[in-house]
Amino acid sequence: MQIIAVSDSKTKKDFLNVARFLYKDDPNWICPLDAEIEQIFDAAKNPFFKHGTCNRWILKDEAGNTIGRVAAFINEKKAHQYEQPTGGMGFFECTDNQKAAFLLFDTAEAWLQKQGMKAMDGPINFGENDSFWGLLVEGFTPPSYGMNYNHAYYHRFFEDYGFKTAYEQITNHLAVRKPFPERFTKIANWVANKPGYTFEYFSKKNSAKYVQDLMDIYNDGWQDFENFVPIKRETLEESFKKMEDIMDEKLIWFAYVNGEPASFVVIIPDANQMIKGFNGKLGLIEKLTFLYKRWVGVSRMRAIVMGTKKAYQKHGLESALFIKLKEYVLPLNQYDELELSWVGDFNDKMLSIHEATGATFGKRHLTLRKIF
């Protein structure tokens, strides 16, 4: 077997195509767009290159067939916040061959060690953790947009190589047409009508204001979590830019207390239902099909991220946001499900909110760590 660094158009193509080969008989897999994958490894398009570096490889067998791939990266803003300097690995794909899998892991580990790392987390993304993050171990159903999907046998490779679970990532599903529990609805309506409490949905025309509000809420609300790194305006602007084609402004809600940004939820239509069958491509025909499916073929939404400032975390604002969302969504008669993805097992508050809505278990991913 031969490890080859991705360095030209041929190896880039092989890096993308190996996934198509490995999942060609899996009806649940939905091929991510090639352009979205390549953007992660493009220093001109991925802002994480400003404080990080990455490399990627493909693996060929004795006959010259591409049978695996892997990427490794270092986010300097997070790498040194752990007990030992920790890099990342991701975009791992491999045939059911432990020798091949271990060779890919060894390659990522060796590269990270040369950069001074003492451990690696994986499978993760060289970017924000709302996409391409975690190893799927439970809930092998069609993934929503940005969520990792993989073969079940990958878990065995990670465990046998010495990876240990750092944390679990829980995804829950909410049936849109099912009424919220009575207690949840009562609290939400009470909060929504409190004096000084106002609610607004996102506006592209006024995006600068809402990006700033989201950044203020997020950085305040998440600051106490271990290894927290404040989110930058630049990163948020890039994220909203990427969402433009699928965004519905009235699925992104903000709560204010006496004019102060206090809570938010970002929800998008599930683009995977639009790109299913595209096989990673987005030519003219796919774009026209995408536009058609955008309005008539999407029945699932995905909640990407929620946040509430510390001072308002027990005020029931999240409940009110869900009520506002439902007031808009139900009359559309379009959506059947809201996927609440993903929440770390360390985030008791958010998991409690999921439970209060009546959401049911959907998927479990793992973020694993290998200490060298």
Side-chain angles (χ1 to χ4, degrees):
M1 291 184 289
Q2 184 183 12
I3 286 281
I4 302 170
V6 175
S7 59
D8 55 25
S9 58
K10 175 64 169 65
T11 48
K12 286 180 182 179
K13 189 174 181 180
D14 288 343
F15 186 89
L16 296 168
N17 284 341
V18 68
R20 285 187 265 268
F21 163 70
L22 288 169
Y23 296 102
K24 67 181 188 297
D25 297 321
D26 189 333
N28 288 324
W29 184 66
I30 298 173
C31 185
L33 294 175
D34 292 351
E36 298 231 331
I37 299 292
E38 284 304 302
Q39 184 172 308
I40 291 164
F41 300 100
D42 187 338
K45 296 180 179 179
N46 185 351
F48 276 69
F49 275 96
K50 293 182 179 179
H51 49 82
T53 183
C54 77
N55 206 346
R56 53 178 169 156
W57 304 264
I58 54 173
L59 177 65
K60 291 186 177 290
D61 64 12
E62 296 86 342
N65 302 308
T66 307
I67 60 170
R69 74 182 193 192
V70 74
F73 23 79
I74 299 170
N75 177 356
E76 294 290 354
K77 290 199 170 184
K78 283 194 173 182
H80 302 282
Q81 292 189 351
Y82 303 96
E83 187 176 339
Q84 57 282 317
T86 302
M89 60 80 62
F91 299 91
F92 169 84
E93 303 287 359
C94 191
T95 56
D96 193 358
N97 179 331
Q98 187 182 83
K99 184 178 178 183
F102 280 19
L103 182 53
L104 288 163
F105 291 153
D106 285 344
T107 301
E109 179 174 333
W111 183 82
L112 288 168
Q113 281 188 310
K114 285 183 179 179
Q115 314 293 319
M117 298 295 103
K118 304 292 184 183
M120 64 180 172
D121 284 355
I124 66 172
N125 182 26
F126 187 46
E128 293 298 331
N129 62 13
D130 61 351
S131 59
F132 305 118
W133 200 287
L135 182 75
L136 181 65
V137 295
E138 193 174 350
F140 288 86
T141 57
S144 63
Y145 179 70
M147 292 291 285
N148 262 355
Y149 181 88
N150 53 261
H151 286 301
Y153 62 79
Y154 285 12
H155 192 193
R156 168 168 42 90
F157 291 157
F158 277 82
E159 285 195 326
D160 290 350
Y161 190 73
F163 280 91
K164 305 293 182 185
T165 300
Y167 54 86
E168 296 186 354
Q169 302 158 223
I170 309 300
T171 293
N172 291 310
H173 291 161
L174 186 63
V176 171
R177 291 176 176 82
K178 180 181 177 182
F180 287 128
E182 184 179 349
R183 183 174 182 274
F184 181 90
T185 303
K186 185 177 180 180
I187 292 172
N189 287 328
W190 175 73
V191 172
N193 292 307
K194 285 187 72 174
Y197 283 42
T198 55
F199 302 87
E200 302 174 13
Y201 57 81
F202 183 83
S203 166
K204 291 180 183 178
K205 291 181 180 178
N206 204 12
S207 62
K209 165 189 164 17
Y210 291 109
V211 167
Q212 182 64 49
D213 290 350
L214 193 152
M215 185 173 68
D216 291 346
I217 298 167
Y218 183 91
N219 288 340
D220 181 281
W222 290 82
Q223 62 183 300
D224 290 340
F225 284 92
E226 187 179 4
N227 308 123
F228 168 75
V229 174
I231 197 166
K232 281 189 166 186
R233 184 183 186 89
E234 175 189 25
T235 304
L236 279 178
E237 288 173 341
E238 180 66 28
S239 296
F240 275 100
K241 184 179 178 182
K242 285 168 62 178
M243 290 192 296
E244 271 186 359
D245 290 339
I246 59 171
M247 180 191 296
D248 181 339
E249 295 169 308
K250 294 181 181 179
L251 295 181
I252 303 172
W253 278 86
F254 291 81
Y256 298 85
V257 177
N258 297 320
E260 178 187 351
S263 186
F264 74 88
V265 59
V266 176
I267 294 171
I268 58 172
D270 182 12
N272 267 10
Q273 292 187 335
M274 305 178 215
I275 67 173
K276 185 176 182 179
F278 288 7
N279 205 27
K281 309 303 180 184
L282 197 59
L284 177 59
I285 293 175
E286 287 85 3
K287 287 179 179 178
L288 292 173
T289 304
F290 180 92
L291 290 173
Y292 174 73
K293 288 184 175 180
R294 169 69 179 81
W295 296 110
V296 303
V298 181
S299 61
R300 179 167 65 181
M301 302 169 285
R302 180 191 169 198
I304 298 177
V305 63
M306 297 176 63
T308 302
K309 282 186 176 179
K310 288 173 63 178
Y312 303 109
Q313 285 182 358
K314 294 184 179 180
H315 287 226
L317 288 169
E318 301 88 355
S319 305
L321 288 173
F322 275 110
I323 288 292
K324 294 294 181 182
L325 175 71
K326 203 159 192 173
E327 287 174 355
Y328 167 67
V329 168
L330 277 181
L332 295 177
N333 199 30
Q334 175 182 351
Y335 298 105
D336 298 321
E337 182 180 81
L338 171 61
E339 181 172 285
L340 305 169
S341 59
W342 52 263
V343 176
D345 58 1
F346 49 81
N347 193 343
D348 295 333
K349 292 177 183 176
M350 199 60 71
L351 288 171
S352 295
I353 292 170
H354 285 199
E355 183 179 355
T357 65
T360 57
F361 174 80
K363 298 174 185 286
R364 189 186 316 275
H365 289 76
L366 305 179
T367 295
L368 302 112
R369 179 168 297 162
K370 167 70 187 302
I371 298 176
F372 303 154

